[in-house]
Amino acid sequence: MDVVFGFVGYDFSLVVADCASVQQIIVQKSDEDKIVEIDKCKVMAMSGPKGDCVAFGEYLKANVRLYRLKHGHELDTKAVSHYARNEMAQALRSGPYQVNTLLAGYDEGQGPSLYFMDYLATGHKVNSAGHGYGGMFCLSLFDKHWVPNMSRAQAMDLVDRCISEVIERLVTAPTDYLVKIVDKNGC
């Protein structure tokens, strides 16, 4: 029942994830951070089994850091997206990660970007996306209310609309959400 969605604004990328950790009908935690900071200008929101999300998030974060230490420069968001997709594709043949992700980042000279990846290693650069039941309810709101080059005020208004829609439509909707914005200054 994860709710994860995100979109791109004028000079930022934004991802939102619910804070609930549930196992079937039992709420285990209500302050779970499902958004991993890969580096100072990239974050990845994940949905799926908690063990897979934690393992994949830490693995990706460590390998992106290792690349930076080894080669002396950081990967851009597109390169991190391709790396994550490749790792998911390789794992799909052995012990797959059941993780759906949204990778948001900001790169100098390229601006903000958002990449959609699912557990089958499908990856696309998108302007807006969502995972989970709640994320699917947000897609119709993105079609109607998302505009290119939207301001932060417009973005936060759209986030509020999406959360209100999820709470209204889902019987077991999470009540707490975490919003992370990535821009040229970092997360």
Side-chain angles (χ1 to χ4, degrees):
M1 274 304 230
D2 294 327
V3 178
V4 175
F5 61 90
F7 52 90
V8 177
Y10 171 68
D11 62 347
F12 63 92
S13 295
L14 176 143
V15 289
V16 179
D18 69 289
C19 296
S21 176
V22 297
Q23 183 68 32
Q24 295 178 346
I25 62 168
I26 299 172
V27 176
Q28 296 171 326
K29 275 177 85 173
S30 59
D31 61 348
E32 180 81 19
D33 187 354
K34 297 178 183 177
I35 304 173
V36 176
E37 293 183 27
I38 302 297
D39 63 22
K40 67 177 184 139
C41 288
K42 290 171 208 60
V43 297
M44 185 168 62
M46 297 177 288
S47 69
K50 301 304 162 240
D52 285 354
C53 289
V54 170
F56 186 70
E58 289 177 357
Y59 177 79
L60 191 67
K61 181 177 181 178
N63 278 294
V64 168
R65 185 168 186 255
L66 177 64
Y67 183 91
R68 182 177 48 85
L69 293 171
K70 223 174 171 181
H71 299 283
H73 64 88
E74 291 185 1
L75 293 169
D76 65 356
T77 309
K78 182 177 181 179
V80 172
S81 168
H82 287 296
Y83 177 72
R85 185 189 167 284
N86 186 46
E87 290 300 317
M88 279 187 178
Q90 287 180 350
L92 191 60
R93 292 168 183 84
S94 56
Y97 294 110
Q98 297 290 317
V99 180
N100 298 310
T101 67
L102 294 179
L103 176 67
Y106 185 91
D107 299 307
E108 287 297 323
Q110 298 175 12
S113 57
L114 179 69
Y115 289 87
F116 170 94
M117 286 175 275
D118 67 6
Y119 72 99
L120 294 172
T122 303
H124 296 286
K125 182 177 181 183
V126 293
N127 291 322
S128 60
H131 285 297
Y133 290 122
M136 299 307 140
F137 290 128
C138 297
L139 295 179
S140 61
L141 290 171
F142 295 149
D143 286 343
K144 187 173 182 179
H145 298 288
W146 181 86
V147 293
N149 300 323
M150 67 189 326
S151 68
R152 287 183 188 228
Q154 290 172 309
M156 293 313 294
D157 181 51
L158 183 53
V159 167
D160 290 340
R161 285 177 188 230
C162 288
I163 291 172
S164 296
E165 189 73 17
V166 169
I167 290 172
E168 180 181 332
R169 300 238 180 229
L170 280 180
V171 174
T172 58
T175 56
D176 297 324
Y177 295 85
L178 184 62
V179 179
K180 290 193 180 180
I181 297 175
V182 181
D183 61 11
K184 64 183 176 187
N185 300 320
C187 178

